[in-house]
Amino acid sequence: MNTIKTINRENHPCFNFGARNKFGRIHLPIAPKCNIQCNFCNRKYSCVNESRPGVTSAVLSPAQAIVYFDMIMEKIPNISVMGIAGPGDAFANVEETLETIHRVREKYPFMLFCLSTNGLNILPYFDELIEFGLTHLTITVSAVKKEIGAKIYAWVSDNGRTYYGEEAAELLIGRQLEAVKAFSKAGIVVKVNFILLPGINDQHAEEVAREVSEAGANIFNCMPVYPVEGTPFANIREPKGIEVFKIREKCSKYIKQMTHCQRCRADAAGLLKDDNSEKTQDLLSVALAVSADLVT
Ligand code: SF4
Ligand code: SF4
């Protein structure tokens, strides 16, 4: 049974290295669609920004997510943070995202609340998120130059129109930096995930770190790409540990570095170091058996 009774921002296991072995997180997999297409992502599996491909499982309705949440809180101690990390993007699934947050907040007012997004469509929901008590935000920014972004994003869809090439990248990058600025100014702890793609953006990492730091981001997570079958970057070289280390060292001139990311699944629960996948799979199956429209 969870016994945490106060909100303490220091208790986020991803944003605070010292908290990683004491507090756990729960990801609620309620957001299947995405509004952009990264060339390293195959959504048949899950968002590689926040999960290892191929090991994602069910997508839950908001009502099922609460059932899952309650069971996790009973079975896994010291969950301090609830997050939505896909498997697509939280703001390509706005209705489900807001309903889930609303339900969780009502039941668990002391839970840290964390979102992970590509940043394209979060700003229209700024007021609601602040009101719901958002505490931590992750935005994935893998380029701040449109020429480099155009190699990473196949398309960006916004307001019923699809953008390609540099136009798409420019739109996305602009929204990402605006979101970093707005949320950090409002006191939200902002992490930037940077997907390291050898030959594409490895020489660009420092520039991204500098710009997002100037925009107000607090922490930078350089994540080596995980090549996924069936994507344009399926054969990209997976960066070696030493390369990642060197890039983090360079970027640390501008912004604090996260070094303990586990590239978790979209339905992960518990301490970062614990693989609770069997337990979470069982509980997800129970939640899935509940009516998708259940009123709790
Ligand atoms: Fe995939 Fe996430 Fe990129 Fe969307 S933002 S295409 S889910 S990696
Ligand atoms: Fe934390 Fe990284 Fe896992 Fe996200 S993917 S929950 S940042 S450890």
Side-chain angles (χ1 to χ4, degrees):
M1 172 72 93
N2 219 65
T3 51
I4 295 169
K5 292 280 179 263
T6 52
I7 285 201
N8 179 349
R9 286 171 187 236
E10 294 303 309
N11 291 351
H12 195 309
C14 310
F15 286 65
N16 179 4
F17 185 77
R20 74 196 186 287
N21 292 330
K22 284 190 236 155
F23 296 100
R25 67 349 188 175
I26 173 171
H27 284 171
L28 296 175
I30 53 96
K33 293 176 281 181
C34 195
N35 45 10
I36 71 173
Q37 179 62 60
C38 301
N39 281 330
F40 49 79
C41 174
N42 184 340
R43 285 199 297 285
K44 253 199 297 182
Y45 306 115
S46 65
C47 178
V48 294
N49 292 343
E50 290 285 341
S51 54
R52 286 195 312 275
V55 288
T56 196
S57 48
V59 170
L60 302 177
S61 73
Q64 291 168 334
I66 292 299
V67 173
Y68 174 63
F69 201 139
D70 286 342
M71 290 187 293
I72 291 281
M73 294 294 277
E74 282 293 327
K75 306 253 183 237
I76 301 183
N78 288 344
I79 299 278
S80 66
V81 53
M82 129 17 210
I84 297 175
D89 189 86
F91 297 94
N93 304 264
V94 173
E95 216 178 287
E96 294 84 353
T97 296
L98 296 181
E99 190 186 336
T100 303
I101 296 167
H102 179 67
R103 285 176 182 241
V104 172
R105 260 288 167 254
E106 259 185 359
K107 255 188 142 167
Y108 298 98
F110 300 120
M111 187 67 51
L112 294 174
F113 161 31
C114 181
L115 282 172
S116 175
T117 174
N118 59 42
L120 179 70
N121 190 35
I122 187 172
L123 266 182
Y125 307 97
F126 179 88
D127 291 342
E128 271 147 295
L129 295 173
I130 300 294
E131 202 178 310
F132 278 141
L134 179 71
T135 54
H136 297 76
L137 176 66
T138 295
I139 302 185
T140 301
V141 183
S142 300
V144 291
K145 272 196 176 148
K146 63 182 179 184
E147 305 77 24
I148 296 176
K151 296 182 191 163
I152 300 174
Y153 311 112
W155 51 257
V156 166
S157 170
D158 187 55
N159 269 326
R161 192 180 148 195
T162 304
Y163 299 80
Y164 300 91
E166 292 189 6
E167 199 187 4
E170 191 173 27
L171 172 67
L172 178 64
I173 293 165
R175 296 272 181 86
Q176 291 172 333
L177 293 175
E178 271 179 54
V180 171
K181 276 185 200 146
F183 283 96
S184 56
K185 204 169 159 201
I188 308 304
V189 192
V190 176
K191 169 160 72 66
V192 163
N193 281 357
F194 172 85
I195 310 299
L196 177 61
L197 302 154
I200 306 284
N201 67 358
D202 45 345
Q203 304 301 317
H204 183 46
E206 256 187 277
E207 196 174 352
V208 176
R210 195 186 61 235
E211 273 218 33
V212 298
S213 168
E214 282 169 10
N218 306 88
I219 183 161
F220 193 78
N221 180 18
C222 174
M223 301 172 80
V225 64
Y226 187 107
V228 179
E229 234 178 272
T231 68
F233 288 166
N235 298 318
I236 198 166
R237 180 175 64 74
E238 199 172 349
K240 296 195 179 82
I242 184 72
E243 289 174 76
V244 181
F245 176 82
K246 283 183 179 164
I247 286 178
R248 285 183 181 148
E249 202 173 44
K250 283 184 190 165
C251 294
S252 68
K253 278 187 273 176
Y254 308 101
I255 183 167
K256 185 175 160 191
Q257 301 296 299
M258 177 177 186
T259 56
H260 61 292
C261 181
Q262 300 294 314
R263 298 199 289 192
C264 310
R265 308 148 44 118
D267 59 357
L271 297 182
L272 300 186
K273 68 181 168 66
D274 289 345
D275 179 8
N276 285 315
S277 49
E278 264 183 44
K279 205 182 278 178
T280 55
Q281 295 310 300
D282 287 350
L283 298 180
L284 276 169
S285 307
V286 177
L288 264 183
V290 169
S291 161
D293 302 321
L294 177 82
V295 179
T296 49

